[in-house]
Amino acid sequence: MAAHIGRRLRKGAATTAVAAAAVAALSASQAPGATVDDQGRQNTGDATSAPDTAADDSATGNSPYYTDLPPLNSPAPSPSAGSGEAGDRSAAEAGIPATVLDAYKKAEAALREKKAGCNLPWQLLAAIGKVESGQARGGRVTADGTTVTPILGPQLDGNGFALIRDTDNGAYDDNRMYDQAVGPMQFIPSTWSWAGRDGNGDGRKDPNNIYDAALAAGHYLCRFDWDLSKPGDLRKAILSYNNSTEYLNTVLSWLEYYRKGTHEIPDGTGALPEDRSDAHPGATPSAPGTTPPAQPGKPSGSRPSPSPSAPGTGSPSAPPTTPLPPTPPTPTDTVHHLEDAGTGTLTAMAGHTFAERISTRAETEAGKAVAKVRIRFTIVGDTDTTFAGGESVATVTTDASGVAVAPALQAGERTGAFAVQAAVAGRSVKGVPYKVTVTQRVADALTRVGEKELTCVAGGEFAEPVEVKATHGGEAAGKVAVTAKLVTSADDPAENDKGPYFKDAEGKTIRTLTGLRTGPDGQLTLPKLYADDTAGTFLLRLTTAGGATLEVELTVEPAATPSPDPDPSADPDPSTDPDPSADPDPSADPDPSTDPSTEPSETPAT
């Protein structure tokens, strides 16, 4: 025992130095003006004056956490860095189990796509995972990332911990009286109910699955549009996970450590942490590689028992435990029900901000207003509508009149009805559902862009495309659905079977186009128009969602008639034929008047 305690003391001295160095390095690189004392505590405005975050508004409910600090050796020790038990343990402390590491990196990749501005590093997830559960108890997970046994923190009964009464009817923590932090990232059930994610694609959101939990933690840390590359936002995000300056410094130490490099180790071979934030002086230390029964991540909710007095010391035995006085009720405890506080109709066009905001009032059983109560608004249903900042949940504290007003809703592109549920954070009080409807984008006017006449010859194609612009209330109406149809006439909306036409993807004739949408500027350019061999004036009718209509005239001119070729077998025009008499027949007798052989001889006079 003495040897083990000595080993713990030496470890404590070493890890204190590591903490000071790690936090100092992170402060120098990220937080100008921050200072670090000789115990590794970071002194900044944001760190020393932590935000007033209620336990049930943090990811973990401010549950206990592991306080072990990074080892002094390199994050990626060489094979010769140590040998035997000490070397094996050092390598296990420095490494991250393969499946757990994969989950962190996949979560980082997903957040890089979904919330690129957050700049979430996987090393931050690894640091939190180390502090919360020792990397899922050293990587004791199945092939799909689920912990071999559930990881539970102590029950949050207010007895040395936060007071959070049951919010999930024991669904996640098997406790119907109080909540307990669950899983490798230690989410309390009330937080997991809205923050949970499906990280491994199995269709479930399981807090005991490292892929699900890591992705959920990433989204939780990236809410409120925080940019984790900024020191201030990074500190806010970590403190929102567990509101403790010591917790912040511990996580920052591991973050800096993992940023310098780490290595993958086989699942189940990671070292289990030894020290916990709620350890009591004189508590029986754990054997190497084990954890106290009450550590976060253990099924038991008990706390370590004091060590008995050493034999022969004469130390008095511990006095009997005195029952704690009853906990005075909080404002949350006095809430009996919630009421709608005059919320109007919640309807908005896709892509627009809702003009009406949800208002909820917290009341006692007698109908008296309750102030300083956190009301959680959760979007429920098949929708992409969010609150400001892109989140599906928002927590607002009631004012002096007991009313909490939710942030404005931002309609997505998915139309239809869904609900927003208002509930008391940390209580199983019946909530208030609000029906919300998103309607399709509409336009109330449609005009043609350009004034040039649209003409072509029969059998040809129109050189000028048809361009139009949709507006709503005088503003450009983007992403509005448009239908283009070549109709028989202004009075007959039937599709014309002749004249101009479009072509489909296979080059076939088509005279009605659906599924067209205006661009962000409200403009739309139709596909090229062609003409068959029918000449005349034709009508193209365009209509939008919302009833805007525009008719465009299209003119098809007759094709030019070519001159006929002459018939070579026909007699030539006699007026152009030379005089046949001018071309004597060579076989005919010559004119005796011109033929010298027939000239009469001279007759002598008689």
Side-chain angles (χ1 to χ4, degrees):
M1 176 66 71
H4 176 64
I5 293 176
R7 186 162 60 247
R8 288 284 298 279
L9 290 175
R10 289 193 298 274
K11 181 179 185 298
T15 53
T16 298
V18 171
V23 176
L26 193 65
S27 300
S29 62
Q30 289 196 332
T35 60
V36 181
D37 64 19
D38 58 358
Q39 298 302 312
R41 291 187 293 266
Q42 186 177 23
N43 299 317
T44 67
D46 288 337
T48 56
S49 56
D52 181 16
T53 304
D56 55 331
D57 280 341
S58 69
T60 68
N62 297 333
S63 293
Y65 57 91
Y66 290 120
T67 59
D68 296 52
L69 293 172
L72 289 173
N73 58 286
S74 166
S78 63
S80 60
S83 59
E85 179 184 350
D88 293 343
R89 181 167 182 81
S90 176
E93 285 180 335
I96 299 177
T99 299
V100 178
L101 180 60
D102 183 56
Y104 296 150
K105 291 185 176 181
K106 284 189 174 179
E108 179 198 51
L111 268 296
R112 190 184 303 122
E113 178 182 349
K114 297 291 185 181
K115 295 186 177 181
C118 178
N119 294 305
L120 171 80
W122 66 262
Q123 292 91 341
L124 177 58
L125 296 176
I128 291 176
K130 181 70 174 182
V131 170
E132 292 296 345
S133 68
Q135 310 297 20
R137 292 180 183 158
R140 287 160 177 80
V141 296
T142 59
D144 69 347
T146 303
T147 57
V148 175
T149 56
I151 299 179
L152 297 174
Q155 66 178 15
L156 301 175
D157 56 7
N159 185 19
F161 307 114
L163 174 59
I164 304 179
R165 292 187 173 87
D166 176 56
T167 61
D168 65 331
N169 198 30
Y172 294 117
D173 54 13
D174 200 27
N175 188 334
R176 298 186 179 183
M177 293 187 64
Y178 302 98
D179 271 352
Q180 294 175 248
V182 182
M185 302 304 279
Q186 288 289 277
F187 280 96
I188 54 174
S190 58
T191 300
W192 183 262
S193 65
W194 61 265
R197 296 290 193 278
D198 176 15
N200 62 353
D202 64 356
R204 300 174 60 240
K205 299 176 182 179
D206 182 3
N208 287 301
N209 183 279
I210 186 59
Y211 288 98
D212 295 358
L215 184 60
H219 276 278
Y220 185 90
L221 294 165
C222 287
R223 72 198 193 287
F224 304 138
D225 290 331
W226 281 331
D227 180 355
L228 302 187
S229 67
K230 298 179 179 179
D233 284 0
L234 175 64
R235 290 192 294 272
K236 289 176 186 176
I238 296 172
L239 286 168
S240 77
Y241 211 90
N242 192 313
N243 189 27
S244 161
T245 304
E246 290 75 14
Y247 179 88
L248 169 70
N249 289 336
T250 305
V251 170
L252 288 176
S253 297
W254 281 104
L255 170 60
E256 180 66 15
Y257 181 78
Y258 287 136
R259 274 178 168 166
K260 292 179 179 178
T262 185
H263 61 283
E264 178 184 298
I265 60 175
D267 289 345
T269 63
L272 298 179
E274 297 178 347
D275 302 312
R276 208 175 70 156
S277 61
D278 64 337
H280 297 286
T284 303
S286 306
T290 65
T291 54
Q295 289 177 336
K298 292 297 180 182
S300 171
S302 61
R303 282 179 274 173
S305 302
S307 299
S309 301
T313 62
S315 301
S317 59
T321 303
T322 303
L324 295 173
T327 304
T330 65
T332 301
D333 294 330
T334 65
V335 178
H336 178 267
H337 61 272
L338 297 179
E339 293 284 348
D340 175 29
T343 306
T345 302
L346 295 165
T347 302
M349 190 190 308
H352 288 63
T353 300
F354 282 74
E356 187 72 18
R357 293 169 65 177
I358 298 173
S359 297
T360 302
R361 176 182 164 94
E363 298 181 353
T364 65
E365 187 173 6
K368 184 179 178 180
V370 184
K372 298 182 179 180
V373 174
R374 292 168 301 282
I375 305 300
R376 180 170 292 127
F377 299 94
T378 305
I379 297 173
V380 181
D382 184 16
T383 181
D384 54 355
T385 295
T386 64
F387 290 112
E391 297 297 327
S392 60
V393 65
T395 302
V396 181
T397 302
T398 57
D399 58 18
S401 62
V403 175
V405 181
L409 285 163
Q410 178 66 41
E413 295 301 322
R414 198 170 302 166
T415 60
F418 59 96
V420 173
Q421 184 76 21
V424 178
R427 285 287 308 280
S428 297
V429 175
K430 184 179 180 181
V432 178
Y434 293 85
K435 182 180 178 181
V436 186
T437 304
V438 176
T439 61
Q440 65 179 333
R441 292 174 180 263
V442 299
D444 54 22
L446 193 61
T447 57
R448 187 181 161 213
V449 178
E451 299 179 354
K452 189 173 182 180
E453 292 185 1
L454 300 169
T455 63
C456 87
V457 297
E461 60 185 52
F462 287 80
E464 294 292 326
V466 178
E467 295 181 89
V468 297
K469 181 174 182 178
T471 56
H472 183 265
E475 300 292 332
K479 300 183 180 181
V480 173
V482 179
T483 297
K485 183 178 182 180
L486 290 148
V487 297
T488 302
S489 68
D491 299 324
D492 186 355
E495 181 179 281
N496 207 337
D497 60 356
K498 56 187 176 182
Y501 62 91
F502 300 103
K503 289 183 179 180
D504 63 13
E506 298 176 354
K508 296 179 180 178
T509 298
I510 182 172
R511 289 188 167 90
T512 300
L513 294 178
T514 59
L516 302 172
R517 286 193 180 272
T518 60
D521 58 357
Q523 295 196 24
L524 169 67
T525 300
L526 270 61
K528 183 184 288 291
L529 275 162
Y530 302 85
D532 61 12
D533 57 2
T534 307
T537 300
F538 300 89
L539 203 60
L540 172 65
R541 178 173 293 166
L542 297 103
T543 56
T544 71
T549 302
L550 174 67
E551 292 181 344
V552 180
E553 282 192 354
L554 304 172
T555 302
V556 179
E557 299 175 344
T561 304
S563 300
D565 292 332
D567 186 354
S569 63
D571 294 331
D573 186 348
S575 63
T576 60
D577 191 45
D579 188 355
S581 63
D583 187 15
D585 185 354
S587 62
D589 292 335
D591 185 350
S593 63
T594 60
D595 187 357
S597 62
T598 61
E599 184 178 349
S601 59
E602 184 177 347
T603 303
T606 57

